[in-house]
Amino acid sequence: MAHASGMISERKDARFGVFGKKSGPLSGNSPSPGRKRPIYQAMALGDESPDATKTSLRAFEQFRNYRKAQVPNSISSKNRPALPAAPVRIAATRVFVQLAAHLRDIAPHSPHGHLQLRKLNYLTKMSQNEMPDIHRLDEYLACAHALADTAAEQTLRYFRQGTAVENKADSGAPAAKKRFDPVTAADRGAEKAIRSHLAERFPDHGMHGEEFGLTHPDSRYRWVVDPIDGTAAFIMGWPMWGTLIALTDSGRPLLGLMDQPFTRERFWSTATNAIWQGPDNQQRILETRPCASIDEAALSTTHPDYFTLHRDAQAFERVKQAARTTRFGGDCYAYAMLASGFCDLIVESGLQAYDVAALIPIVEKAGGTITTWSGETAAEGGNIVAAGDVRVHQAALELLSS
């Protein structure tokens, strides 16, 4: 499946008023002639002198412009600006910290307040020189697309072909407790093909795959791969499965891609957006839909039987009773639909890192929130909750922990 990342123009910052010119309660801008400055200019910056304040604001603008230049294909690598010098980074950090403190107060009252906080965290890490090699993000993304193409050659050979199925679960368990954890030649063949490609492309990178485990565990960059997420759907001939490919930097998901080669759909994250590509190579930017309360939410989970602990099953039932409607059987495709604005809430338990790492950047760059049930990072898996609107996410967290 060919991809054409240049076909999509990156979304501007106008949606997020702190960073753009859009008027609104979060932007600090006003349509009236007397108040046009954005909120970061209107805020008090501690006890700084006017000159120091101007220096901080200039530093903020430098980072704002630097960040915009990181969009893949938006500017050639040789013309991209260099990371600002240390004094500028220190000054910029002061602005970011002040803004974050302000936004923490108002974020719960806005469906997009958490996105502004996420951008501030991104900029703060950049100002502290903790950012990944962002100039190579487009190269890594191109590799992820190539890996998906490679995996598709293997998975499509076996889909709806009556391939043999093995059960990876413990065959020695009592019959009443036996689990069915299927694996096929398609799973193994796709992961082998991905590993072979990565060994040539980035031999120093680590890889964590569902079928063959972890290699290069000490590498800063690690590819986290599930060759077929939704093998149970795959062997039943349902197209509710996908290949998941993530790249993490020191454990943090840097990019994610989900490929459904049978429907010829692909979902992935860029530096600023989540993208969908369809069968005719048409593309669009993904955006989650607003949902004011959980009683208006469409909920999804792969299957209620997967909540194997009684307390987890009870927690899910509380969320299910609160939601408007519930749909089972989505696997990774449900997260893609949440990012696309067709689903509001997903609750799962017992996920592994390879089940979710690729989906985190897609959901987040589309405007959603994805964490564990305790509100921590979902990068290592566990019990996961994802929502398109932060208000629904917060309501689900309260129900899951009550």
Side-chain angles (χ1 to χ4, degrees), residues 178-366:
K178 281 185 179 179
R179 291 176 55 246
F180 181 53
D181 188 7
V183 63
T184 70
D187 297 83
R188 292 169 174 152
E191 185 168 323
K192 286 179 180 178
I194 288 172
R195 287 179 179 274
S196 177
H197 188 100
L198 278 177
E200 295 182 4
R201 190 81 172 263
F202 296 111
D204 57 332
H205 285 195
M207 179 173 164
H208 181 195
E210 178 175 9
E211 307 308 332
F212 299 106
L214 176 63
T215 58
H216 299 301
D218 297 327
S219 177
R220 172 183 172 179
Y221 291 106
R222 178 182 298 175
W223 295 85
V224 184
V225 172
D226 190 345
I228 300 179
D229 181 79
T231 303
F234 182 91
I235 62 178
M236 294 177 68
W238 296 3
M240 310 296 286
W241 56 275
T243 297
L244 298 180
I245 300 168
L247 175 62
T248 64
D249 175 16
S250 303
R252 297 189 300 269
L254 183 59
L255 63 84
L257 182 148
M258 191 283 266
D259 188 47
Q260 212 315 321
F262 184 74
T263 63
R264 298 178 61 199
E265 292 180 286
R266 187 170 292 181
F267 306 79
W268 68 88
S269 66
T270 68
T272 55
N273 295 321
I275 307 296
W276 168 84
Q277 180 172 284
D280 299 323
N281 290 336
Q282 70 272 30
Q283 296 181 3
R284 71 167 181 265
I285 293 174
L286 299 178
E287 189 169 351
T288 61
R289 67 186 180 189
C291 184
S293 63
I294 197 167
D295 61 357
E296 300 174 4
L299 168 67
S300 177
T301 192
T302 298
H303 198 283
D305 287 354
Y306 292 173
F307 297 97
T308 54
L309 298 179
H310 181 62
R311 65 174 181 270
D312 291 348
Q314 287 184 315
F316 172 75
E317 186 62 23
R318 289 193 295 270
V319 177
K320 180 175 176 291
Q321 291 299 322
R324 171 175 286 179
T325 184
T326 304
R327 179 74 178 176
F328 300 141
D331 290 292
C332 60
Y333 201 83
Y335 294 85
M337 293 301 97
L338 185 143
S340 302
F342 298 115
C343 172
D344 303 298
L345 179 63
I346 299 170
V347 177
E348 309 256 43
S349 71
L351 299 190
Q352 301 297 320
Y354 46 71
D355 294 318
V356 71
L359 301 168
I360 294 172
I362 297 172
V363 168
E364 291 185 341
K365 295 298 172 65

Side-chain angles (χ1 to χ4, degrees), residues 13-33 35-39 116:
D13 284 337
R15 177 184 170 196
F16 312 105
V18 164
F19 299 92
K21 298 180 180 180
K22 185 177 180 179
S23 297
L26 292 181
S27 69
N29 297 336
S30 170
S32 62
R35 187 167 177 266
K36 295 183 178 179
R37 293 185 303 168
I39 196 167
Q116 302 203 45

Side-chain angles (χ1 to χ4, degrees), residues 92-215:
T93 300
R94 288 199 298 270
V95 181
F96 304 150
V97 171
Q98 292 280 349
L99 279 168
H102 173 77
L103 284 172
R104 285 191 191 99
D105 293 334
I106 61 176
H109 307 293
S110 166
H112 298 305
H114 66 296
L115 292 175
Q116 302 203 45
L117 280 172
R118 188 174 297 122
K119 283 196 172 186
L120 282 170
N121 291 335
Y122 180 96
L123 288 164
T124 301
K125 289 176 182 177
M126 184 186 293
S127 70
Q128 295 169 344
N129 202 24
E130 296 178 359
M131 289 302 296
D133 187 2
I134 199 163
H135 290 314
R136 299 190 69 184
L137 183 58
D138 47 356
E139 180 183 359
Y140 297 146
L141 183 57
C143 178
H145 282 288
L147 295 177
D149 292 339
T150 297
E153 294 176 2
Q154 298 297 317
T155 56
L156 291 179
R157 287 175 53 200
Y158 297 97
F159 186 53
R160 295 183 178 174
Q161 300 299 314
T163 184
V165 180
E166 298 177 33
N167 185 7
K168 293 189 293 183
D170 182 11
S171 59
K177 296 185 177 180
K178 281 185 179 179
R179 291 176 55 246
F180 181 53
D181 188 7
V183 63
T184 70
D187 297 83
R188 292 169 174 152
E191 185 168 323
K192 286 179 180 178
I194 288 172
R195 287 179 179 274
S196 177
H197 188 100
L198 278 177
E200 295 182 4
R201 190 81 172 263
F202 296 111
D204 57 332
H205 285 195
M207 179 173 164
H208 181 195
E210 178 175 9
E211 307 308 332
F212 299 106
L214 176 63
T215 58

